[in-house]
């Protein structure tokens, strides 16, 4: 009897374990399926300004092989049917933009026929022939083009008959904008034997849209506007500063196709490039006269921005987007030998509506400021971007993040480490208030051990419920903005039941260079599930504002139980959790948000003030700041340490960004080996003078423009910048080592003057 009871008991225990495991991992009951909202691009006009420009430009001849196919009050559209090339005449200033240089004999210039076809073609298709990528153009043989003309433009059906791939391209005028649209439902790979064993597969990889639109061999007063980090410009000089190319995926690399990193493979690392968080670029042919803003409006999460200097593969400066429909990835045949792998492909191409908008700029909008402002106009008209800045303060705000607890990998597993108790955070905040910092913005950052990420949690080791309530009451009573840090996109050190899978079925782990550890990205379908779990605790503890991390660059394609989750669906899941939080009264700010999230944020943390500093860049410009200035308060990355303090302070003033610091109540040594191991000094006693110095300097520069919009930014000389604000104030900044005379005003070396 006893033996039988033990046998059944063991069986029951095993079944219980299986049941609990199943409950943990499978009771979410969520299929990866979310409807991608239909894009309303047809309802929006960005350039709706009609009339004649003051400065009329020389009108170029449009070759007879181009036929006028559409016209409205602002633009004329011409088409070369053979190549799908276009010309667009801006009726305001008389300037014509071409999708390639129609006035040069490229054969006489020494270009190969293959390159000439590529330059002339409006659309190029990159395919995988088996596993080998190859570029096809609409001027190749075996390409059928069927046109349908409309009042506002044309539709062309392109059938690459040899590759058995076809799609529609719709090109239309909409006010002062040109719209290029490839409907998702029109994309078809119609080879019936595609993906069958033994078939010589030819499948889609990338689509390249008008890669030479606005290209130029040089322009005396022109430049490219590049969305690198904060923003950058490259002058269209006859002799380039550096002949180089640059490619960067919009919103970051698609990690779903990447191989997992392992510690043995990392080796030495170099400084990573800045992210591309804006899906735009600009081409200015004559400053304050004519230019064009190009927006990757739909399909941006599958877009890659490309820049090519002249004298690389052509004599032209180029800017363009390429759109990815399918990428090869490694399917490993061995768990221990990564050399044993084959290339794999997803069978269905990525599904998205491709919409690219060209906004034609003239007069005082034809510059990088106009590029930023016109993109913001789109965000207002289409996305509902609104202003939510409090301009009632007399002093600039100061942001303080408190690391409350961290985790490290100990001898017996993860160990939680208290770093700043609730009472310590309250007392440090009181110290700052007593020193006169009346506009504080405070965040609690707590690592939850059983969740392996930063979320809300009450810890006895930090003082427990009573101390947390007293700290929150103190912040409320003293008008301190209080946020709680949450990361619904990642886990650290190990995967969790919410982690996503790469296309090759491996865990979706990403090597975080900043912290020298692995992150595991969560499946986006769980974002709202994680927020729902926290909501009651937020309400109970009177937490109504979150500082969200992890969503920057977190869009990816992934495998989900037989379904392919797309990055466009990932965008929808991210928007869904933001809307869920807002619907339940939770304010959301974000660290380094991508542009599609701007409408959801109260404040912007970790604002960029640098570009990647690549050799070919002529100037770094505040493109992101110009988009959001006057709409959202922007705060810097942690200024606890800097290689050049005086330049960092000047940059904060130039870019309209407020200083931010991270503090701990205990020794910084406790952060060693934790997720926060990149913080080298965090104790207030060591940072007090530094905080004062940064704050006082930046407050002197930005104190008079709190809540005002940055309306202009001008580089007037080497190292001399003027920033103009909507309240009439001008800030002149001198980065040079010597004084500078601006009119009758002397600006000291490394100094700032408010006019």
């Amino acid at each position: 009897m006893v033996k039988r009871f033990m046998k059944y008991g063991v069986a029951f225990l095993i079944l219980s374990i299986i049941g609990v495991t199943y409950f943990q991992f499978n009771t979410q009951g969520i299929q990866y399926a979310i409807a991608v909202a239909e894009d309303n691009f047809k309802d929006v006009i960005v350039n709706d300004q009609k009339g004649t420009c003051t400065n009329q430009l020389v009108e170029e001849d449009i070759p007879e092989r181009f036929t006028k196919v559409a016209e409205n009050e602002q633009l004329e559209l011409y088409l070369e049917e053979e190549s799908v090339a276009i010309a667009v005449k801006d009726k305001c200033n008389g300037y014509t933009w071409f999708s390639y240089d129609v006035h040069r004999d490229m054969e006489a210039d020494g270009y190969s026929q293959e390159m000439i076809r590529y330059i002339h073609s409006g659309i190029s298709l990159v395919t995988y022939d088996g596993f080998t990528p190859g570029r096809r153009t609409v001027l190749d043989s075996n390409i059928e083009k069927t046109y349908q003309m409309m009042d506002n433009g044309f539709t062309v059906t392109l059938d690459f008959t040899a590759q058995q791939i076809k799609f529609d391209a719709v090109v239309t005028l909409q006010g002062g904008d040109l719209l290029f649209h490839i409907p998702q439902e029109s994309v078809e790979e119609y080879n019936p034997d595609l993906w069958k064993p033994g078939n010589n597969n030819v499948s889609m990889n990338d689509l390249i849209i008008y890669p030479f639109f606005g290209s130029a061999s040089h322009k005396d007063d022109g430049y490219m506007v590049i969305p690198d980090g904060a923003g950058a410009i490259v002058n269209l000089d006859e002799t380039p500063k550096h002949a180089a190319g640059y490619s960067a995926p919009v919103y970051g690399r698609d990690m779903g196709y990447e191989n997992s990193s392992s510690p043995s493979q990392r080796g030495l690392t170099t400084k990573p490039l800045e992210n591309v968080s804006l899906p735009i670029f600009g081409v200015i042919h004559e400053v304050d006269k004519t230019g064009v803003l190009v927006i990757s409006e739909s399909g941006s999460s599958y877009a890659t921005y490309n820049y090519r200097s002249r004298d690389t593969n052509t004599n032209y400066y180029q800017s363009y987007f390429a759109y990815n429909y399918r990428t090869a990835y490694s399917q490993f045949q061995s768990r221990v030998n990564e050399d044993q792998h084959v290339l794999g492909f997803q069978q269905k191409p990525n599904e998205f509506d491709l919409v690219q908008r060209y906004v034609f700029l003239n007069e005082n909008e034809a510059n990088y400021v106009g590029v930023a402002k016109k993109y913001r106009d789109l965000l207002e008209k289409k996305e509902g971007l609104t202003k939510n800045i409090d301009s009632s303060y007399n002093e600039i705000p100061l942001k303080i993040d408190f690391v409350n607890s961290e985790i490290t990998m100990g001898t017996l597993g993860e160990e939680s480490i208290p770093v700043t108790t609730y009472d310590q955070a309250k007392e440090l905040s009181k110290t700052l208030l007593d020193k006169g910092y009346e506009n504080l913005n405070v965040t609690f950052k707590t690592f939850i051990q059983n969740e392996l990420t930063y979320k809300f949690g009450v810890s006895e080791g930090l003082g427990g419920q009573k101390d947390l309530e007293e700290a929150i009451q103190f912040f409320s009573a003293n008008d301190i903005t209080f946020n709680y840090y949450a990361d619904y996109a990642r886990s650290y050190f190990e995967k969790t039941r919410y982690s996503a899978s790469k296309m090759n079925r491996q865990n979706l782990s990403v090597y975080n260079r900043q912290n020298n550890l692995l992150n595991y990205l969560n499946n986006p379908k769980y974002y709202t599930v994680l927020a729902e779990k926290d909501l009651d605790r937020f309400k109970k503890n009177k937490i109504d504002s979150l500082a969200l991390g992890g969503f920057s660059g977190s869009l990816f394609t992934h495998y989900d139980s037989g379904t392919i989750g797309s990055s466009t669906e990932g965008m929808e899941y991210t928007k869904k959790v933001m809307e869920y939080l807002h619907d339940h009264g939770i304010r959301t700010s974000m660290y380094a948000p991508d542009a599609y999230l701007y409408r959801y944020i109260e404040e912007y943390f970790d604002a960029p003030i640098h570009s990647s500093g690549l050799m070919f860049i002529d100037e770094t410009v505040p493109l992101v700041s110009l988009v959001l200035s006057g709409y959202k308060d922007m705060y810097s990355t942690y200024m606890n340490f800097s290689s050049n303090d005086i330049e960092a302070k000047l940059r904060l003033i130039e870019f309209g960004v407020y200083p931010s610091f991270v503090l701990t109540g205990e020794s910084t040594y406790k952060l060693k080996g934790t997720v926060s191991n990149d913080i080298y000094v965090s104790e207030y006693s060591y940072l007090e003078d530094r905080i004062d110095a940064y704050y006082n300097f930046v407050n002197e520069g930005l104190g008079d423009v709190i809540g005002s919009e940055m309306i202009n930014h001008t580089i007037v000389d080497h190292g001399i910048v003027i920033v103009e604000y909507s309240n009439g104030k001008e800030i002149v900044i001198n980065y040079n080592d010597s004084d500078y005379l601006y009119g009758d005003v002397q600006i000291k070396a490394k100094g700032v003057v408010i006019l």
Side-chain angles (χ1 to χ4, degrees):
M1 185 72 179
V2 173
K3 289 183 179 180
R4 182 181 300 175
F5 177 80
M6 291 180 62
K7 180 173 70 174
Y8 289 139
V10 171
F12 178 77
L13 179 61
I14 293 172
L15 289 172
S16 298
I17 293 173
I18 293 173
V20 169
T21 303
Y22 181 85
F23 179 82
Q24 286 181 331
F25 286 85
N26 294 281
T27 57
Q28 304 299 331
I30 298 175
Q31 298 296 318
Y32 196 94
I34 188 170
V36 177
E38 185 176 351
D39 198 290
N40 64 334
F41 65 93
K42 295 179 182 179
D43 301 328
V44 176
I45 298 174
V46 178
N47 180 2
D48 54 6
Q49 298 173 359
K50 304 170 186 176
T52 303
C53 294
T54 303
N55 297 314
Q56 289 296 301
L57 301 174
V58 176
E59 296 190 17
E60 292 188 75
D61 293 332
I62 300 174
E64 292 183 0
R65 62 183 182 273
F66 283 77
T67 304
K68 184 192 289 189
V69 293
E71 180 178 5
N72 61 22
E73 292 185 63
Q74 293 171 262
L75 302 174
E76 295 176 3
L77 174 62
Y78 295 80
L79 168 67
E80 183 181 56
E81 291 192 20
E82 182 185 17
S83 63
V84 200
I86 58 174
V88 182
K89 183 177 180 179
D90 188 335
K91 295 168 72 171
C92 181
N93 56 26
Y95 196 80
T96 301
W97 293 83
F98 295 94
S99 63
Y100 72 89
D101 188 346
V102 300
H103 300 299
R104 295 296 296 267
D105 184 341
M106 295 185 181
E107 189 170 359
D109 288 344
Y111 290 103
S112 67
Q113 287 301 313
E114 180 184 4
M115 181 56 73
I116 292 172
R117 289 195 299 271
Y118 174 56
I119 293 172
H120 285 210
S121 292
I123 304 167
S124 293
L125 172 66
V126 179
T127 62
Y128 285 112
D129 188 349
F131 299 107
T132 305
R135 186 174 63 205
R136 328 283 176 171
T137 76
V138 297
L139 288 172
D140 293 347
S141 58
N142 300 317
I143 309 297
E144 294 182 359
K145 296 178 281 287
T146 305
Y147 283 94
Q148 178 184 348
M149 298 302 168
M150 303 176 289
D151 291 341
N152 61 344
F154 64 89
T155 297
V156 57
T157 299
L158 295 172
D159 191 345
F160 293 75
T161 57
Q163 291 77 38
Q164 296 180 279
I165 299 169
K166 68 178 180 180
F167 51 86
D168 293 342
V170 186
V171 182
T172 54
L173 298 182
Q174 199 158 297
D177 306 346
L178 175 85
L179 289 170
F180 180 96
H181 177 211
I182 295 181
Q184 172 186 316
E185 62 272 13
S186 75
V187 179
E188 183 181 355
E189 296 173 297
Y190 58 90
N191 179 356
D193 296 323
L194 189 61
W195 311 119
K196 291 183 179 179
N199 180 48
N200 185 20
N201 295 328
V202 177
S203 56
M204 293 183 68
N205 177 10
D206 290 335
L207 272 180
I208 302 173
I209 311 302
Y210 292 123
F212 288 86
F213 191 95
S215 62
S217 59
H218 73 280
K219 293 287 181 180
D220 293 335
D221 191 26
Y223 52 74
M224 296 285 188
V225 184
I226 294 175
D228 172 44
I233 60 175
V234 180
N235 294 328
L236 303 180
D237 297 329
E238 189 168 4
T239 302
K241 181 178 178 181
H242 289 281
Y246 165 76
S247 293
V250 176
Y251 303 149
R253 290 162 54 199
D254 190 331
M255 300 307 299
Y257 293 110
E258 301 286 329
N259 295 336
S260 298
S261 300
S262 63
S264 61
Q265 294 174 325
R266 294 171 199 161
L268 296 175
T269 61
T270 57
K271 180 183 176 182
L273 297 177
E274 296 288 329
N275 289 334
V276 173
S277 62
L278 298 173
I280 65 174
F281 67 84
V283 182
I284 307 299
H285 277 187
E286 290 193 54
V287 174
D288 295 337
K289 292 183 180 179
T290 188
V292 62
L293 158 66
V294 183
I295 306 170
S296 176
E297 193 165 332
S298 180
S300 54
S301 62
Y302 284 114
T304 296
Y305 169 72
N306 298 274
Y307 162 78
R308 295 289 180 270
S309 167
R310 64 165 292 169
D311 300 338
T312 50
N313 56 348
T314 71
N315 292 328
Y316 297 97
Y317 290 94
Q318 294 175 255
S319 266
Y320 63 94
F321 288 116
Y323 294 85
N324 177 252
Y325 282 83
R326 183 183 281 109
T327 297
Y329 56 88
S330 297
Q331 288 183 314
F332 294 100
Q333 310 299 300
S334 169
R335 295 185 178 183
V336 295
N337 185 358
E338 292 192 355
D339 290 333
Q340 295 183 24
H341 70 271
V342 296
L343 289 180
F345 298 96
Q346 65 197 69
Q347 293 196 7
K348 291 181 65 177
N350 298 322
E351 296 182 350
F352 57 92
D353 261 2
L354 192 165
V355 178
Q356 188 162 290
R357 184 185 297 261
Y358 298 77
V359 181
F360 294 92
L361 312 173
N362 41 59
E363 299 204 305
N364 61 359
E365 293 180 341
N367 47 54
Y368 58 83
V369 176
V371 165
K373 298 303 184 184
K374 281 300 183 185
Y375 178 60
R376 191 193 61 201
D377 286 351
L378 175 75
L379 295 179
E380 280 189 292
K381 293 175 179 178
K382 185 178 177 184
E383 303 292 340
L385 178 70
T386 57
K387 297 182 180 182
N388 55 355
I389 282 183
D390 187 346
S391 57
S392 63
Y393 294 103
N394 296 319
E395 308 284 331
I396 67 169
L398 173 68
K399 183 173 189 296
I400 301 293
D401 281 6
F402 289 108
V403 179
N404 299 105
S405 66
E406 268 296 355
I407 190 173
T408 189
M409 299 301 291
T411 305
L412 300 177
E414 302 94 352
E415 296 178 5
S416 183
I417 300 175
V419 184
T420 308
T421 66
Y422 306 133
D423 189 61
Q424 286 174 326
K426 184 184 74 174
E427 291 303 314
L428 285 169
S429 299
K430 185 176 185 300
T431 299
L432 290 168
L433 283 176
D434 293 342
K435 290 197 68 173
Y437 293 102
E438 61 184 46
N439 187 6
L440 288 176
N441 190 314
V442 168
T443 298
F444 277 6
K445 198 172 182 181
T446 306
F447 200 99
I448 305 302
Q449 184 173 350
N450 63 346
E451 298 276 2
L452 293 173
T453 193
Y454 294 99
K455 292 184 66 181
F456 176 76
V458 181
S459 169
E460 292 299 324
L462 298 175
Q465 186 71 39
K466 181 175 179 293
D467 282 3
L468 175 62
E469 290 178 359
E470 289 180 355
I472 294 175
Q473 290 170 2
F474 174 81
F475 296 145
S476 177
N478 290 277
D479 294 324
I480 295 174
T481 301
F482 176 64
N483 312 279
Y484 216 101
Y485 185 94
D487 187 346
Y488 295 131
R490 297 174 294 186
S491 66
Y492 296 78
F493 296 108
E494 297 177 11
K495 70 173 183 176
T496 70
R497 61 182 179 274
Y498 303 112
S499 298
S501 296
K502 295 176 186 276
M503 292 295 292
N504 60 12
R505 317 301 195 264
Q506 292 184 324
N507 297 321
L508 216 166
S509 59
V510 178
Y511 175 52
N512 188 325
R513 292 171 181 263
Q514 181 177 339
N515 307 103
N516 194 33
L517 51 82
L518 287 180
N519 293 151
Y520 291 84
L521 302 187
N522 289 338
N523 189 321
K525 71 182 183 182
Y526 293 128
Y527 292 164
T528 303
V529 172
L530 294 168
E532 287 172 347
K533 289 175 60 179
D534 288 344
L535 187 63
D536 287 342
R537 291 183 292 174
F538 291 153
K539 299 292 186 183
K540 177 182 177 182
N541 291 277
K542 298 181 179 180
I543 292 170
D544 60 3
S545 186
L546 295 181
L548 294 168
F551 286 129
S552 173
S554 65
L555 299 173
F556 49 81
T557 310
H558 66 108
Y559 180 79
D560 183 87
S561 303
T563 300
I564 303 301
S566 71
S567 63
T568 51
E569 292 171 308
M571 292 177 77
E572 293 301 317
Y573 277 116
T574 307
K575 293 175 184 177
K576 180 182 176 182
V577 69
M578 303 301 290
E579 289 165 358
Y580 173 82
L581 291 167
H582 288 185
D583 289 344
H584 289 83
I586 305 296
R587 299 166 67 250
T588 54
S589 298
M590 201 171 296
Y591 291 80
D594 293 322
Y596 76 96
L597 293 169
Y598 285 173
R599 65 170 161 156
Y600 298 106
I601 64 173
E602 298 288 328
E603 294 166 315
Y604 187 126
F605 304 146
D606 284 359
I609 58 173
H610 298 284
S611 65
S612 298
L614 300 171
M615 292 188 298
F616 60 83
I617 289 174
D618 287 291
E619 300 285 353
T620 295
V621 295
L623 205 61
V624 175
S625 294
L626 284 163
V627 171
L628 290 177
S629 173
Y631 283 64
K632 313 289 179 182
D633 279 337
M634 303 181 71
Y635 295 84
S636 70
T637 55
Y638 300 143
M639 305 309 295
N640 292 42
F641 29 82
S642 171
S643 59
N644 188 332
D645 282 332
I646 184 59
E647 182 172 331
K649 295 173 189 174
L650 293 172
R651 284 269 181 170
L652 293 180
I653 294 173
E654 180 189 351
F655 285 57
V657 173
Y658 302 134
S660 175
F661 293 86
V662 57
L663 296 179
T664 58
E666 302 294 331
S667 168
T668 311
Y669 184 78
K670 286 194 169 186
L671 299 178
K672 183 180 180 181
T674 72
V675 177
S676 297
N677 59 27
D678 57 324
I679 299 172
Y680 307 118
V681 55
S682 60
E683 296 163 69
Y684 180 69
S685 58
Y686 295 121
L687 289 170
E688 180 178 6
D689 292 343
R690 184 179 185 84
I691 292 173
D692 292 345
Y694 263 85
Y695 183 86
N696 292 334
F697 190 91
V698 177
N699 187 54
E700 185 177 343
L702 296 178
D704 289 337
V705 297
I706 295 171
S708 296
E709 178 186 345
M710 184 190 298
I711 60 172
N712 204 4
H713 179 278
T714 309
I715 302 166
V716 296
D717 204 344
H718 176 72
I720 307 296
V721 176
I722 299 177
V723 187
E724 301 173 45
Y725 279 84
S726 57
N727 66 350
K729 295 292 184 180
E730 293 185 1
I731 303 174
V732 188
I733 303 163
N734 181 7
Y735 284 95
N736 298 314
D737 294 324
S738 57
D739 294 353
Y740 185 87
L741 187 64
Y742 177 69
D744 298 330
V745 179
Q746 187 83 7
I747 302 143
K748 293 183 178 180
K750 307 293 185 184
V752 177
V753 170
I754 314 297
L755 300 178

